[in-house]
Amino acid sequence: MNRNYYNNMGNVGGVNEAEFCPDCPTQTIYDPPITQYENYYHPQLVNVIQNIETVKQHHCCPVYQHQYTHTEKNVMVSSAKQKKRAKVSSKKRSNK
């Protein structure tokens, strides 16, 4: 195809852009109206009454108070019953 064919594809009847001046009438379109608001604020005193109720809750919680008892007893120890045994060292016991 011809190189000019591609250059003139967007033009009407092969006329180049500089020479082409279409006679298109001007149109007027009306969009629907837009409503615009301007807000102004003025102070208005409003009394708000808030009732506060205090509920006093009472709870039992344990407080530990230690009390001790003490007993005594007498025991007779005979010197004949007390035999001294030789202590075995911990090194000898662990090597078994």
Side-chain angles (χ1 to χ4, degrees):
M1 283 199 183
N2 185 333
R3 186 175 188 189
N4 279 339
Y5 176 79
Y6 289 110
N7 290 337
N8 294 326
M9 279 184 72
N11 297 332
V12 177
V15 180
N16 106 19
E17 218 174 291
E19 298 170 2
F20 181 69
C21 183
D23 186 20
C24 298
T26 303
Q27 291 183 341
T28 304
I29 298 175
Y30 292 96
D31 280 340
I34 296 173
T35 304
Q36 180 177 340
Y37 294 97
E38 290 184 5
N39 294 303
Y40 298 92
Y41 298 95
H42 305 279
Q44 176 188 15
L45 182 62
V46 177
N47 291 318
V48 177
I49 300 172
Q50 178 70 52
N51 184 32
I52 299 174
E53 177 184 22
T54 302
V55 177
K56 295 182 179 182
Q57 295 180 336
H58 299 270
H59 303 275
C60 293
C61 58
V63 177
Y64 297 100
Q65 182 179 2
H66 292 275
Q67 298 179 1
Y68 301 96
T69 60
H70 177 78
T71 58
E72 288 183 10
K73 66 178 179 179
N74 293 312
V75 214
M76 279 302 291
V77 179
S78 166
S79 59
K81 288 186 178 180
Q82 291 183 355
K83 295 181 182 176
K84 290 190 178 182
R85 289 193 247 171
K87 287 188 177 181
V88 179
S89 72
S90 60
K91 287 182 182 179
K92 289 182 182 178
R93 280 184 281 195
S94 63
N95 289 337
K96 289 183 180 180

